[in-house]
């Protein structure tokens, strides 16, 4: 290498170009300019979201290169460190996508390293704001809670038989094998009910016991399970199934071995396909029977892993198997940017404008990036192929082979499970009939966006159930349309305010008012009891008696991780957070990794957790890809998330951001004489200040957030901008940057340090909250 | 500075003056060779980090190998004019990229195609420089 100095020189010249991506770096040498040119296409293919953050927070030289700040983060157009993105508002400033963080309720189980894992009652239940309407206190909750979240198809009819099916699903998700109750239920002798004890709405006894077993002993093999369970009513069916399944596995393994040996003969080397005589294009099977890298799931985590593998393993051949008919795309714009687009054809183009004004598609890469699956084993330098509309239904970990829903078998060397999750539904809605289901959207995919966009132009009233990230963002997006089109937008949820599980109460209340100003009729403390069709409209009845009449419902009540494969694969499913349980290196078994929404992993700093954010999918997918190519690195780089709710509320966050933790918020005040009085009036919470009433430092009653329409608070008189620290045992474990940007590296550093800071105001100084 | 309580949550309002004095918070010194940390484009041992997010999909796309080959050559080039011994690799990369205009859009594509690739004794890079200087991507 010539010299760091020289490399630095061309890099620096390149960086100083007025355009974000210099094309001619002004270097002296043709080669230097060529290298510059290499980087310029970066801006054309920013398939990662424009989440820009500087490498080290200062944008200065690191490792001798004045480079990183430019495009560190996730690629795409960059911003020199330290420079604010202008005076654009929060949305314009970042415009990034946040995922649905359902911040799983399984709550504050203390999973910090070394702490005993005891369930804690957070008082949340007492507040009458259960995450799921029918959830019981923890420890007993899981079976019935899971039972509550039945899939649409299974529970369409409602009733105890379906409950039994759901219970079985619960167990299966835990990797607990049970006799096939579905078959028993189908027998229609009514005894299915008795055995499962699933009465209407009651908590079945046997499932609870069964559910506790995995917690103690982890998952079991199919055979062992079958042998243990005393044959009950159709116990014989259970035993029979076990043998049968065993036989199936045996046959499939034999097939695999046979296929593999044939494959081994013809596929000696990936690097020299030209020598393979079998490569006649016409004779190639549609789906390769073996791939070195198999990624199950075609979302953000899988794509990030594919890229990582390709970057590190020259000529790697990666096959993505996706149930979704679309190529890999990013989800956050589906609930944000796409709704604010001026383009009338946005539902077709799926393009949106980023904060820097540049447009891009939600697809990570255009179709030409991918190699057709049939060509994957033969293409010279390898590539990434995507099988769309196919689902992996069975996984044989011992034989390293999977089976698709169409019967195709694919064997692999290394496998990533990135199956993500499916939106949860409300029991009340599942019980309601088909008429209600037709007027329901469970929002997650491109199709859902297209449908909802169309519906928003056709109906008079839409109700969003759920007060978290997705619900609030959709409410704001629809609320904006509401104003121009006379659409009524209602949002209802059990908590006291929007983002009630993420933001401390005072901020949640303040945010709720902001959401109201976006044109949304926010109804907090609302628990849905039933939904029915009334005339041509929907009637939602709440538990407190209130009624809401509407035309369409969007349910944004959380995500259920897709862990169906755990059963056949014999993988452990986490009972606290859901998802596949993996270690700090995201590994489940020696050749199997899990990333993204479906991964319950061990975070060295923050303990075991499962994160449902976009950046986490990118970070974990990338890490899994690295580890699949031999890196053996633990989860270390803390992922972040963000959200925008209207023009006044935009924040970025990192770590454990749970409103049940004690917090310290430091907000900017314009001048000394400004008081936050109007802020407190605004938010409807009664906050006493220490300086006013020094004697009293006690709790204050929180009034409900149904305050009248507020006026616009002046900057500095309210929670305009600041930083909020979330503490666990005096250590900062989470940080929210409230309406301030480009400071994420500092936040990340503080969490990484894991130090006890005596005065958090001093820590807050590091963020320069008064500057733009 | 105004400090308030809302139950377990503390709220502090600070003016610019309040935050003028330097922070007394202490941060732990970073280990530049921490193997766990995310690395920039160049690793501590001098190698190129192909997995750097800053490269976008350059190293992983269909022209990934050509890109890696060209850039590695440049990176390790010890020629006086750095990278001048890498013309072939750059050319190969360019040719590959031209096959995928969606992925590697080039502003003045027509112009580029028209230019015969042979007449550039200066080298193909100048052509691309000239082309890129005109437009931004």
């Amino acid at each position: 290498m010539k010299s760091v100095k020289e490399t630095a020189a061309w890099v620096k010249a390149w960086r100083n170009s007025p355009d974000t991506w210099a094309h001619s770096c002004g270097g002296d040498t043709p080669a230097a300019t060529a290298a510059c040119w290499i980087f310029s296409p970066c801006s054309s293919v920013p398939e990662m979201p424009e989440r820009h953050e500087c490498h080290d927070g200062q944008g200065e030289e690191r490792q001798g290169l004045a480079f990183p700040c430019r495009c560190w983060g996730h690629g795409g157009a960059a911003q020199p460190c330290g420079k604010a993105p202008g005076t654009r508002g929060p949305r314009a400033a970042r415009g990034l996508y946040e995922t649905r963080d359902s911040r799983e309720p399984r709550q504050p189980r203390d999973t910090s390293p070394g702490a005993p894992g005891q369930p804690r009652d957070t008082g949340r239940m007492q507040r009458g704001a259960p995450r799921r309407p029918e959830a019981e206190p923890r420890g007993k909750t899981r079976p019935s809670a899971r039972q509550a979240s039945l899939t649409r198809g299974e529970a369409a009819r409602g009733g105890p038989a379906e409950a039994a099916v759901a219970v079985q699903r619960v167990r299966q998700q835990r990797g607990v094998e049970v006799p096939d109750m579905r078959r028993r239920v189908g027998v229609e002798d009514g005894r299915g009910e008795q055995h499962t004890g699933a009465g209407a709405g009651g908590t079945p006894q046997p499932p609870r016991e069964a559910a506790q077993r995995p917690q103690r002993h982890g998952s079991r093999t199919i055979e062992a399970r079958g042998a243990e369970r005393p044959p009950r009513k159709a116990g014989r069916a259970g035993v029979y199934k076990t043998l049968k399944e065993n036989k199936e596995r045996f046959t499939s393994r034999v097939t695999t071995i046979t296929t593999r040996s044939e494959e081994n003969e013809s596929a000696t080397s990936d690097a020299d396909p030209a020598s393979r005589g079998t490569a006649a294009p016409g004779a190639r099977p549609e789906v390769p029977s073996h791939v070195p890298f198999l990624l199950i799931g075609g979302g953000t985590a899988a794509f990030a892993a594919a890229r990582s593998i390709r970057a590190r393993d020259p000529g790697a051949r990666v096959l993505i198997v996706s149930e979704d008919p679309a190529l890999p795309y990013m989800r956050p714009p589906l609930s944000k940017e796409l709704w604010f687009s001026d383009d009338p054809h946005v539902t077709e183009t799926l393009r949106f404008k980023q904060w820097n004004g540049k447009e891009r598609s939600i697809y990570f890469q255009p179709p030409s990036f991918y190699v057709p699956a049939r060509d994957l084993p033969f293409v010279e330098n390898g590539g990434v192929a995507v099988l769309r509309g196919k689902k992996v239904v069975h996984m044989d970990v011992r034989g390293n082979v999977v089976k698709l829903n169409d019967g195709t078998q694919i064997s692999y060397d290394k496998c990533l499970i990135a199956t993500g999750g499916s939106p949860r539904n409300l029991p009340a809605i599942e019980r309601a009939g088909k008429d209600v289901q037709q007027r329901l959207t469970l929002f997650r995919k491109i199709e859902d966006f297209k449908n909802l966009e169309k519906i928003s132009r056709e109906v008079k009233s839409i109700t969003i159930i759920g007060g978290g990230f997705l619900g609030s963002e959709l409410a704001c997006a629809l609320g904006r349309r509401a104003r121009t089109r006379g659409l009524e937008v209602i949002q209802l949820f059990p908590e006291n305010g929007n983002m009630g599980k993420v933001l401390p109460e005072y901020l949640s209340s303040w945010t709720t008012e902001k959401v109201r100003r976006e044109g949304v009729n926010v109804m907090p403390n609302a628990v849905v009891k039933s939904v029915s069709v009334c005339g041509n409209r929907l009637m939602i009845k709440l538990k407190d008696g209130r009624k809401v009449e509407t035309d369409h419902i969007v349910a944004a009540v959380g995500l259920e991780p897709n862990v169906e494969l755990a059963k056949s694969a014999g993988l452990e499913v986490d009972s606290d957070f859901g998802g596949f349980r993996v270690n700090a290196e995201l590994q489940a078994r020696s050749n199997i990794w899990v990333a993204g929404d479906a991964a319950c992993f061990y975070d060295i700093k923050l303990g075991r957790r499962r994160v449902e954010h976009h950046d986490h999918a990118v970070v974990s997918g990338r890490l899994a890809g690295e580890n699949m190519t031999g890196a053996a690195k633990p989860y270390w780089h803390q992922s972040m998330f963000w959200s925008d709710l209207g023009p006044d509320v935009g924040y970025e966050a990192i770590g454990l951001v749970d409103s049940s933790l004690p917090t310290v918020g430091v907000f900017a005040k314009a001048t000394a004489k400004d008081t936050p009085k109007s802020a407190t009036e605004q938010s409807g919470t009664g906050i006493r200040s220490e300086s006013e009433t020094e004697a009293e430092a006690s709790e204050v009653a929180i009034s409900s957030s149904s305050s009248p329409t507020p006026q616009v608070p002046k900057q500095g008189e309210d929670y305009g901008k600041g930083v909020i620290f979330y503490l666990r045992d005096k250590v900062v474990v989470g940080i929210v940057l409230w309406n301030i940007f480009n400071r994420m590296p500092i936040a990340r550093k503080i969490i990484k340090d894991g130090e006890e800071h005596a005065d958090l105001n001093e820590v807050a100084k590091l963020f320069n909250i008064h500057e733009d | 500075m105004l400090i308030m309580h809302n139950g377990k949550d503390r709220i502090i309002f600070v003016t610019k003056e309040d935050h003028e004095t330097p922070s007394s918070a202490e941060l732990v010194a970073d280990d530049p060779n921490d193997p766990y940390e995310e690395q920039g484009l160049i690793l501590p041992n001098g190698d190129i980090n192909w997995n750097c997010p800053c490269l976008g999909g350059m190293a992983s796309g269909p022209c990934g190998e050509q890109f890696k080959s060209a850039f590695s050559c440049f990176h390790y080039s010890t020629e006086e004019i750095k990278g001048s011994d890498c013309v072939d690799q750059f050319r190969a990369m360019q040719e590959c990229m031209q096959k995928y205009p969606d992925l590697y859009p080039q502003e003045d594509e027509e112009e580029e195609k028209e230019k015969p690739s042979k007449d550039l004794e200066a080298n193909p890079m100048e052509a691309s420089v000239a082309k890129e200087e005109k437009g931004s991507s």
Side-chain angles (χ1 to χ4, degrees):
Chain A
M1 188 164 115
K2 186 75 187 256
S3 76
V4 160
K5 192 171 158 203
E6 179 159 302
T7 318
W10 74 253
V11 162
K12 201 166 197 167
W14 162 72
R15 180 177 83 159
N16 289 336
S17 159
D19 191 47
T20 44
W21 285 94
H23 299 286
S24 64
C25 60
D28 296 329
T29 67
T33 51
C36 260
W37 173 79
I38 293 170
F39 285 93
S40 67
C42 248
S43 61
S44 321
V45 291
E47 58 288 352
M48 292 300 192
E50 298 293 342
R51 179 76 257 137
H52 169 81
E53 55 173 81
C54 296
H55 192 184
D56 54 11
Q58 285 90 38
E60 293 311 319
E61 310 240 340
R62 187 160 171 130
Q63 298 166 1
L65 292 178
F67 170 79
C69 183
R70 206 59 217 228
C71 65
W72 182 250
H74 302 287
Q79 181 77 14
C81 266
K83 255 201 223 166
T87 50
R88 289 159 278 182
R91 184 180 301 119
R94 295 164 303 111
L96 288 204
Y97 341 106
E98 153 265 354
T99 52
R100 296 111 231 182
D101 177 18
S102 70
R103 305 249 86 233
E104 258 334 308
R106 311 344 159 138
Q107 288 291 228
R109 183 159 250 226
D110 186 2
T111 50
S112 56
Q118 294 299 322
R120 280 201 315 247
D121 182 18
T122 61
R124 197 171 293 248
M125 300 301 175
Q126 289 147 16
R127 251 186 12 212
R131 210 164 269 265
R132 294 197 192 84
E134 281 142 44
E136 291 180 11
R138 294 211 53 220
K140 297 181 192 170
T141 297
R142 302 256 343 158
S144 56
R146 295 287 192 176
Q147 178 184 343
S149 60
L150 303 172
T151 55
R152 261 184 281 192
E154 282 175 273
R157 287 162 296 164
E162 277 59 39
V165 168
V167 161
Q168 183 220 4
R169 251 191 94 235
V170 168
R171 292 178 181 167
Q172 285 175 348
Q173 286 178 354
R174 309 273 175 80
V176 176
E177 182 49 31
V178 295
D180 190 355
M181 300 225 186
R182 226 173 295 216
R183 223 181 279 158
R184 285 176 55 200
V185 165
V187 167
E188 293 283 336
D189 61 357
R191 275 193 263 171
E193 298 175 26
Q194 291 164 8
H195 282 286
T196 59
T203 308
Q205 286 295 327
R208 197 183 308 158
E209 293 159 23
Q212 282 172 359
R213 275 190 228 133
Q215 289 170 8
R216 288 201 298 268
H217 304 293
S219 64
R220 315 221 189 180
T221 63
I222 294 170
E223 293 81 356
R225 217 60 191 120
E228 264 187 44
R229 288 205 146 264
R232 275 196 243 159
K233 177 59 186 151
R236 266 159 290 161
V239 172
Y240 175 76
K241 182 183 185 284
T242 306
L243 289 174
K244 186 179 175 197
E245 184 140 333
N246 218 0
K247 188 176 164 200
E248 265 178 38
R249 281 183 60 197
F250 175 76
T251 9
S252 82
R253 279 189 62 203
V254 168
T255 324
T256 313
I257 295 167
T258 331
T259 329
R260 265 208 135 162
S261 56
E262 287 170 27
E263 186 65 19
N264 280 340
E265 284 162 20
S266 61
T268 36
S269 155
D270 282 337
D272 195 9
S275 68
R276 271 191 242 150
T278 53
R284 292 177 187 175
E286 196 183 314
V287 177
S289 55
H290 174 81
V291 289
F293 295 99
L294 176 69
L295 311 186
I296 303 178
T300 306
F303 185 81
R307 171 177 296 176
S308 193
I309 292 168
R310 288 277 302 155
R312 289 171 51 88
D313 182 349
R317 295 165 205 280
V318 180
L319 179 67
I320 292 175
V321 178
S322 174
E323 213 182 349
D324 205 320
L327 288 172
Y329 61 92
M330 53 182 81
R331 286 187 210 286
L334 295 180
S335 62
K336 287 185 280 293
E337 284 87 348
L338 290 181
W339 291 93
F340 301 118
S341 168
D342 300 319
D343 181 4
H345 302 292
V346 69
T347 50
E348 298 307 319
T349 64
L350 299 174
R351 294 184 72 81
F352 62 98
K353 202 171 279 197
Q354 300 164 109
W355 65 266
N356 58 1
K358 281 199 187 163
E359 250 201 17
R360 66 153 299 160
S361 164
I362 63 170
Y363 291 100
F364 289 114
Q365 289 285 12
S368 50
F369 176 87
Y370 304 99
V371 164
R374 57 159 39 92
D375 298 331
L376 187 63
F378 309 108
V379 66
E380 189 180 342
N381 288 322
V384 181
V386 182
L387 269 187
R388 292 185 263 177
K390 300 273 185 201
K391 184 174 174 176
V392 174
V393 296
H394 187 278
M395 191 167 176
D396 177 359
V397 168
R398 286 166 69 166
N400 290 322
V401 68
V402 302
K403 188 156 52 166
L404 306 186
N405 54 342
D406 63 1
T408 317
Q409 298 209 3
I410 306 173
S411 65
Y412 58 85
D413 292 332
K414 311 240 181 239
C415 179
L416 172 74
I417 298 176
T419 46
S422 307
R424 290 206 179 109
N425 198 353
L426 286 176
I429 296 181
E430 303 234 281
R431 284 197 297 268
K434 200 165 39 110
D435 293 337
V436 171
Q437 309 281 359
Q438 279 171 353
R439 294 171 168 82
L440 168 76
T441 298
L442 292 176
F443 196 93
R444 177 130 171 110
K445 305 184 177 177
I446 291 176
E447 280 316 304
D448 303 320
F449 164 71
K450 290 182 176 178
N451 288 337
L452 188 60
E453 200 279 335
K454 178 163 174 286
I455 286 165
S456 73
R457 286 183 272 116
E458 291 169 359
V459 302
K460 292 268 182 323
S461 162
I462 296 182
T463 298
I464 295 158
I465 303 180
F469 291 95
L470 180 60
S472 305
E473 285 175 6
L474 283 176
C476 287
L478 289 170
R480 181 162 280 225
R481 294 197 164 201
R483 284 183 278 185
T484 50
R485 292 180 201 174
L487 166 72
E488 178 192 39
V489 181
I490 303 164
Q491 187 188 8
L492 50 95
F493 45 81
E495 297 84 30
N496 289 343
N498 286 90
M499 315 306 308
K501 293 195 180 113
V502 173
L503 300 176
E505 188 132 23
Y506 63 92
L507 215 48
S508 165
S509 305
W510 192 81
T511 303
T512 307
E513 290 313 306
K514 295 294 181 185
V515 173
R516 287 195 170 113
R517 294 187 67 230
E518 286 300 298
V520 181
N521 174 8
V522 183
M523 299 172 63
N525 308 115
V527 179
V528 174
K529 181 173 166 187
S530 71
V531 184
S532 52
V533 175
C534 185
N536 200 22
R537 309 195 81 196
L538 288 175
M539 174 67 74
I540 304 173
K541 290 202 183 104
L542 303 180
K543 283 202 171 159
D544 60 6
R546 282 182 287 178
K547 292 190 185 138
V548 176
E549 216 179 301
T550 190
D551 297 318
H552 194 86
I553 293 177
V554 179
V557 295
L559 195 73
E560 186 70 42
N562 292 332
V563 292
E564 293 96 351
L565 282 176
K567 175 183 157 198
S568 56
L571 296 176
E572 193 176 1
V573 172
D574 191 271
S575 42
D576 297 315
F577 301 100
F580 296 94
R581 197 177 267 181
V582 295
N583 63 14
E585 294 175 16
L586 305 184
Q587 202 179 28
R589 291 278 293 265
S590 38
N591 292 332
I592 304 178
W593 288 261
V594 187
D597 292 352
C600 175
F601 65 101
Y602 185 69
D603 182 330
I604 296 177
K605 283 288 167 188
L606 302 176
R608 183 158 285 277
R609 51 202 287 235
R610 188 172 68 82
V611 179
E612 290 175 358
H613 290 301
H614 175 90
D615 190 49
H616 170 74
V618 172
V619 168
S620 65
R622 188 158 79 227
L623 177 66
E626 288 179 336
N627 290 343
M628 287 165 86
T629 47
K633 280 165 58 173
Y635 191 92
W636 190 251
H637 178 86
Q638 203 50 246
S639 64
M640 51 82 71
F641 60 95
W642 71 93
S643 186
D644 290 321
L645 298 176
D648 293 325
V649 177
Y651 59 91
E652 301 176 341
I654 186 172
L656 298 178
V657 176
D658 187 323
S659 61
S660 66
L661 295 173
T663 67
V664 174
V666 182
F667 296 90
K669 221 169 34 159
T671 65
K673 54 180 172 43
D674 287 343
T675 67
K677 206 165 128 189
S678 63
T680 65
E681 284 166 10
Q682 217 60 54
S683 64
T685 57
I687 300 177
R688 305 234 188 99
S689 80
E690 283 181 355
S691 56
E692 285 171 7
T693 54
E694 280 154 48
E696 301 164 23
S698 54
E699 290 185 51
V700 167
I702 313 294
S703 57
S704 83
S705 19
S706 52
S707 20
T709 320
Q711 302 97 17
V712 182
K714 292 209 285 287
Q715 181 78 333
E717 282 188 297
D718 60 356
Y719 306 108
K721 49 183 185 162
V723 56
I724 303 118
F725 300 102
Y726 291 70
L727 301 162
R728 189 171 64 188
D729 301 329
K730 299 189 198 158
V731 171
V732 175
V733 291
I735 295 177
V736 168
L737 302 175
W738 188 254
N739 284 324
I740 57 177
F741 310 100
N742 287 332
R743 279 108 159 149
M744 191 48 69
I746 309 159
R748 181 171 283 122
K749 172 80 180 118
I750 290 166
I751 295 201
K752 178 180 139 183
D753 284 354
E755 300 279 297
E756 274 187 36
H757 292 275
D759 185 357
L760 285 169
N761 184 38
E762 293 296 319
V763 180
K765 282 185 186 173
L766 298 171
F767 290 89
N768 277 328
I769 61 181
H770 293 92
E771 273 162 58
D772 256 332
Chain B
M1 198 162 87
L2 186 62
I3 301 177
M4 307 195 298
H5 271 159
N6 182 11
K8 62 173 174 63
D9 303 313
R10 231 163 150 237
I11 307 162
I12 305 173
F13 284 91
V14 291
T15 63
K16 199 161 176 178
E17 293 71 39
D18 289 330
H19 265 198
E20 251 167 12
T21 53
S23 170
S24 61
E26 287 172 11
L27 299 178
V28 174
D30 270 335
D31 172 13
N33 292 323
D34 188 347
Y36 290 174
E37 278 297 334
E38 298 249 315
Q39 302 291 346
L41 179 63
I42 310 294
L43 297 169
N45 65 0
D47 286 342
I48 301 170
N49 176 18
W50 297 119
N51 208 9
C52 177
C54 61
L55 290 176
M58 297 292 293
S60 59
C63 300
E65 294 310 311
Q66 286 85 347
F67 167 75
K68 283 191 214 175
S69 155
F71 192 51
S72 294
C73 175
F74 170 76
H75 181 64
Y76 291 111
S77 164
T78 51
E79 292 295 313
E80 187 156 328
I81 296 178
K82 193 168 168 75
S84 56
D85 49 339
C86 306
V87 174
D88 288 335
Q89 286 93 330
F90 278 123
R91 191 179 285 137
M93 182 185 80
Q94 214 170 330
E95 279 169 9
C96 178
M97 288 183 174
Q98 279 165 355
K99 284 191 255 166
Y100 300 94
D102 301 348
L103 299 177
Y104 309 103
Q106 305 180 13
E107 284 304 300
D108 295 314
E109 219 172 339
E110 315 271 87
E111 222 173 286
E112 181 58 19
K113 280 186 197 144
E114 279 162 27
K115 271 197 177 149
S117 52
K118 288 243 168 122
D119 83 348
L120 314 165
E121 82 288 345
N123 42 50
M125 294 155 241
E126 279 188 358
S128 52
V129 166
K131 158 182 63 85
E132 289 303 335
E133 259 164 0
K134 278 183 206 139
S136 58
S137 89

